[in-house]
Amino acid sequence: IASISDIAGEETLASAASSSDSETGGASPPPRKKSRGSAAEGAGESGASAAGITGLSAASLPTPHQRSAIRLNHSPQSRRSAAVNAFYKMQANGTGGQEPEPEPEPQVSCRNGESSSSAAGAVHSNGLLSSANNGLPSTESPASDTSTKKKKRLSQSDEDVIRLIGQHLHGLGLNQTVDLLMQESGCRLEHPAATKFRNHVMEGEWEKAESDLNELKALMHSPSAVVVRVQSPLSISTVRCVNRMKFLLLQQKYLEYLEDGKVLEALQVLRAELTPLKYNTERIHVLSGYLMCSHPDDLRAKAEWEGKGTASRSKLLDKLQTYLPPSVMLPPRRLQTLLRQAVELQRDRCLYHNTKLDSGLDNVSLLIDHVCSRKQFPCYTQQILTEHCNEVWFCKFSNDGTKLASGSKDTTVIIWQVDPDSLQLKQLKTLEGHAYGVSYLAWSPDDSYLIACGPDDCSELWLWSVQTGELRTKMSQSHEDSLTSVAWNPDGKRFVTGGQRGQFYQCDLDGNLLDSWEGVRVQCLWCVSDGRTVLASDTHQRIRGYNFEDLTDRNIVQEDHPIMSFTVSKNGRLALLNVATQGVHLWDLQDRVLVRKYQGVTQGFYTIHSCFGGYNEDFIASGSEDHKVYIWHKRSELPIAELTGHTRTVNCVSWNPVLPGLMASASDDGTVRVWGPAPFLDSQETEGLTGCYSMDS
């Protein structure tokens, strides 16, 4: 291969001769013909590429002596001719398309206008040519080609994405890929000081890691840091952050010494390094107690620590990172966190999402948006139960979701068995003898008992054994009582009952009166999970909390219209109220504020019972006097579904607490409708989302 030094030597002689002749007045020799680049010696001239020049190695450049000789020629035209002749000479010798292997560049941060990409015409590891003309020969001059290869400046968001991808690939063990990505992009995954700090922590070199903190201290003033700090190199906040990081390092060092049985070294760390920090003295007292652990297993159990090794040190790094700006060290698994947040946001915005919330990404496709079809939602009539012969006033699924109880004006309670596979119900037992009809039902916490109450003029209460179908207790304190509502205590051994005539009792399973509250006209009841407090709506358009142990009460909810019924979410935080002439209201019991008013339902002065539903209780369902069942997403005031099929007022809706795709509604038309997903669900139909709000049964 002809080197440029050989060519330069010839051109030097020619230039020197030309210069000498011009000085002495002699005639200049005729210009050299381009014999070396002629067509007779090959097609190098037409196929010349800029890569032939840019690919030369450093070894082929002229020596200093030759460069000084070349500079003797002051004619720009002569210098250009020499360069062109040298170029054609290389092409004629077949070296125009070859270039030596480039040296790998060090990892550097992104800089404006800099490029670390390989020259045009080079082949990348993915097999694609990097030339702007897709590998075709270039006819442009070297200066023009250089300008086209100038790398576009990356935006801040582009740099962030590259770093996120790099971190994820690094976590997968694709380190060489990460190096190539950072080299070509001109970015760096993290600050060199952070890399050094990370390595020292993972290798357990605690003295070096502690020394690294001094270097990192100057980088901890970025406003992008998780912990907000005052913009001062010597701020108190920065010093505290460094002390916290040092404390975490020394704590790990102390525990590893103890696990290795180096008690004296551990004691030295505790006394001479941890204690002088004067940080978290309470934790230091706890750490000192670990000195008494006789076995490493005992230490790991008491300290709730994984032990010496990669696992505990990785967790330590995750904690340490929170004190550093993301520009210095990325938060752990940042790309996975962003993807998980995106998936959760799509689920939250999905009107019909009714399955278990999975925080992982393994069962999710990131290639398409999350969409749940309306046909997967309990909007379709699965079954119509017609065994009642009069108005059905109430229905309620058992706590385990295996049974449904319905109460009717026909004086009977029917218990239905639920088939979890077909979502079909079959009649299991019929409980008779409720002379006034059944307007309310309550399952015991273990579903072994069922209490039935009647309408306003009913003074009796029935407690049934579900397994045997036998009446265990028939309670009546006075013929003037009105026992229209009931609620079980969480212990399953007591219940409270009351009515609008001023009765409010707490009784045992045999109907014995344990406590009473005088003068409270009860419309609806609910027992709080603490086992002491009972929520009761009364005729003063409010919900109050009554404590039967210390006999205290307090106001919780105040409405402007009568509260016909209410129910409480599983976590006890939210209450769903059916308010006369107003519809369905959602209250926050903890903050005691009205959260939302749901639209669409027709509510007069009939008692209608609504419910929470869905896998995560994200939905609300209610009957209506316009013969429909309305369903809302908890965060939306407008209904997402209006279910038609009943021909008279829908008095009650119950959502199965275990099977989120099953719901039942009771109506004055004498039927109980069971609602579920579309009977013939095509998997392809789940990709579409229906936008209509009403449908036919």
Side-chain angles (χ1 to χ4, degrees):
I1 299 175
S3 68
I4 198 170
S5 59
D6 299 332
I7 303 169
E10 297 177 14
E11 298 300 329
T12 302
L13 295 176
S15 300
S18 174
S19 176
S20 176
D21 291 343
S22 62
E23 290 177 358
T24 58
S28 299
R32 175 180 300 179
K33 297 182 180 179
K34 300 178 181 179
S35 59
R36 298 183 183 272
S38 65
E41 295 186 35
E45 180 173 351
S46 61
S49 170
I53 295 177
T54 57
L56 294 176
S57 64
S60 62
L61 296 176
T63 63
H65 176 72
Q66 292 169 334
R67 287 198 299 269
S68 62
I70 291 175
R71 285 195 295 268
L72 293 175
N73 187 356
H74 300 287
S75 171
Q77 182 175 4
S78 298
R79 289 197 298 269
R80 284 196 298 270
S81 299
V84 171
N85 289 335
F87 169 71
Y88 286 136
K89 180 179 179 180
M90 286 188 297
Q91 297 300 322
N93 285 277
T95 63
Q98 298 182 9
E99 64 179 89
E101 186 73 16
E103 293 293 330
E105 298 183 9
Q107 187 170 315
V108 295
S109 61
C110 290
R111 297 181 176 86
N112 299 341
E114 292 188 4
S115 174
S116 59
S117 60
S118 59
V123 180
H124 287 287
S125 59
N126 60 7
L128 298 177
L129 292 172
S130 63
S131 174
N133 56 2
N134 296 325
L136 297 177
S138 174
T139 59
E140 297 177 352
S141 65
S144 174
D145 186 68
T146 303
S147 64
T148 60
K149 292 184 297 180
K150 190 173 183 179
K151 188 165 72 72
K152 178 182 178 182
R153 177 182 178 181
L154 295 176
S155 66
Q156 183 62 50
S157 60
D158 289 335
E159 293 184 21
D160 292 343
V161 170
I162 290 173
R163 293 183 65 203
L164 292 174
I165 294 174
Q167 184 192 44
H168 184 70
L169 295 176
H170 179 75
L172 297 177
L174 305 177
N175 297 328
Q176 292 183 357
T177 305
V178 176
D179 293 341
L180 289 175
L181 175 63
M182 296 301 149
Q183 177 181 337
E184 186 169 359
S185 64
C187 296
R188 64 185 179 197
L189 190 58
E190 59 186 13
H191 196 279
T195 303
K196 183 170 60 174
F197 179 65
R198 178 191 300 276
N199 293 335
H200 289 158
V201 171
M202 294 304 297
E203 293 169 4
E205 299 180 357
W206 306 117
E207 288 76 10
K208 293 182 179 179
E210 188 174 347
S211 176
D212 294 337
L213 290 179
N214 296 326
E215 186 175 353
L216 291 173
K217 186 188 302 182
L219 305 174
M220 294 173 61
H221 316 297
S222 169
S224 302
V226 175
V227 180
V228 179
R229 304 177 182 87
V230 180
Q231 300 297 303
S232 171
L234 301 177
S235 67
I236 298 177
S237 299
T238 301
V239 174
R240 289 176 178 173
C241 289
V242 172
N243 285 341
R244 291 171 187 172
M245 296 177 71
K246 188 178 296 184
F247 184 90
L248 293 173
L249 286 173
L250 294 175
Q251 177 180 250
Q252 179 79 10
K253 178 181 177 182
Y254 169 78
L255 292 174
E256 290 191 7
Y257 274 151
L258 284 181
E259 187 182 47
D260 292 339
K262 301 178 180 179
V263 180
L264 294 179
E265 289 85 344
L267 185 61
Q268 178 67 16
V269 172
L270 188 67
R271 289 179 175 176
E273 298 184 65
L274 277 168
T275 303
L277 290 178
K278 297 180 180 180
Y279 172 76
N280 202 348
T281 55
E282 182 178 351
R283 177 62 179 169
I284 291 179
H285 292 319
V286 174
L287 293 174
S288 63
Y290 298 154
L291 290 167
M292 306 303 296
C293 295
S294 58
H295 195 274
D297 292 338
D298 186 26
L299 170 66
R300 289 190 288 267
K302 288 186 176 180
E304 297 180 354
W305 180 58
E306 293 80 1
K308 179 180 179 179
T310 303
S312 62
R313 291 173 181 175
S314 296
K315 283 191 173 182
L316 172 63
L317 265 176
D318 291 349
K319 294 178 182 178
L320 292 170
Q321 186 280 327
T322 60
Y323 299 100
L324 295 173
S327 58
V328 176
M329 180 184 288
L330 283 174
R333 297 168 293 280
R334 182 59 182 164
L335 182 59
Q336 292 96 316
T337 300
L338 292 174
L339 292 175
R340 186 166 55 250
Q341 291 173 352
V343 170
E344 291 174 356
L345 180 61
Q346 289 189 17
R347 285 173 175 170
D348 289 342
R349 292 180 175 179
C350 179
L351 293 177
Y352 300 103
H353 187 76
N354 192 26
T355 57
K356 181 180 179 181
L357 289 179
D358 186 4
S359 58
L361 298 175
D362 295 337
N363 300 323
V364 177
S365 174
L366 300 177
L367 306 181
I368 58 174
D369 290 341
H370 174 85
V371 175
C372 290
S373 171
R374 177 192 173 94
K375 294 189 176 183
Q376 298 172 295
F377 207 66
C379 294
Y380 297 80
T381 299
Q382 301 278 78
Q383 194 176 2
I384 302 177
L385 310 177
T386 59
E387 279 69 12
H388 286 292
C389 57
N390 209 326
E391 299 174 356
V392 185
W393 289 339
F394 198 85
C395 65
K396 184 72 173 179
F397 281 103
S398 59
N399 297 296
D400 61 7
T402 61
K403 300 176 182 65
L404 174 73
S406 58
S408 171
K409 186 179 180 181
D410 65 6
T411 73
T412 65
V413 173
I414 299 180
I415 299 178
W416 312 84
Q417 184 69 43
V418 178
D419 185 334
D421 297 323
S422 64
L423 301 183
Q424 295 291 303
L425 279 67
K426 65 178 181 179
Q427 187 172 346
L428 186 63
K429 289 182 176 66
T430 301
L431 312 177
E432 301 177 341
H434 310 86
Y436 298 92
V438 179
S439 62
Y440 196 85
L441 296 166
W443 293 88
S444 63
D446 60 359
D447 295 324
S448 59
Y449 295 105
L450 181 68
I451 295 179
C453 298
D456 292 343
D457 51 357
C458 179
S459 62
E460 298 175 331
L461 176 147
W462 294 265
L463 192 154
W464 297 89
S465 171
V466 175
Q467 183 176 2
T468 64
E470 297 178 353
L471 180 65
R472 169 164 178 169
T473 302
K474 182 179 180 181
M475 191 194 86
S476 178
Q477 295 294 324
S478 170
H479 293 292
E480 297 180 355
D481 286 352
S482 173
L483 303 181
T484 59
S485 184
V486 67
W488 283 90
N489 190 284
D491 62 11
K493 299 177 181 179
R494 297 169 291 165
F495 61 87
V496 291
T497 183
Q500 292 191 7
R501 297 180 183 175
Q503 294 76 38
F504 192 8
Y505 305 134
Q506 181 171 222
C507 308
D508 61 15
L509 297 182
D510 297 321
N512 299 318
L513 187 63
L514 302 178
D515 296 291
S516 65
W517 212 292
E518 298 295 333
V520 180
R521 299 180 182 272
V522 173
Q523 180 72 23
C524 192
L525 295 167
W526 189 274
C527 287
V528 181
S529 58
D530 62 8
R532 299 186 303 271
T533 307
V534 178
L535 303 181
S537 61
D538 55 29
T539 55
H540 296 285
Q541 307 166 2
R542 63 189 180 183
I543 295 179
R544 292 179 65 81
Y546 298 88
N547 191 313
F548 275 90
E549 291 187 359
D550 57 16
L551 300 179
T552 59
D553 60 323
R554 59 192 178 96
N555 199 46
I556 298 178
V557 171
Q558 182 66 60
E559 282 279 1
D560 297 328
H561 298 80
I563 301 173
M564 306 307 295
S565 68
F566 76 93
T567 186
V568 179
S569 60
K570 290 180 181 179
N571 59 14
R573 178 69 183 265
L574 302 174
L576 193 62
L577 284 60
N578 281 78
V579 184
T581 70
Q582 301 299 303
V584 182
H585 292 179
L586 183 67
W587 279 80
D588 188 316
L589 297 178
Q590 180 174 321
D591 296 337
R592 303 183 190 181
V593 294
L594 176 63
V595 177
R596 194 161 287 110
K597 296 181 180 181
Y598 297 100
Q599 302 178 18
V601 67
T602 302
Q603 170 82 60
F605 287 91
Y606 286 104
T607 299
I608 295 177
H609 299 273
S610 57
C611 67
F612 292 97
Y615 198 96
N616 306 288
E617 288 196 329
D618 285 333
F619 303 99
I620 289 168
S622 178
S624 176
E625 294 181 18
D626 62 2
H627 315 162
K628 297 179 182 179
V629 174
Y630 288 83
I631 302 178
W632 300 267
H633 196 285
K634 191 165 57 178
R635 291 185 295 272
S636 176
E637 296 180 357
L638 297 176
I640 63 173
E642 300 175 11
L643 313 185
T644 61
H646 286 293
T647 58
R648 295 184 63 185
T649 298
V650 181
N651 300 307
C652 181
V653 180
S654 179
W655 209 307
N656 193 296
V658 177
L659 303 172
L662 188 63
M663 187 174 62
S665 58
S667 171
D668 282 346
D669 62 11
T671 67
V672 175
R673 282 190 174 246
V674 180
W675 307 89
F680 303 103
L681 185 61
D682 188 344
S683 60
Q684 294 181 352
E685 293 176 344
T686 62
E687 298 179 2
L689 183 62
T690 305
C692 59
Y693 285 112
S694 61
M695 59 167 291
D696 295 331
S697 60

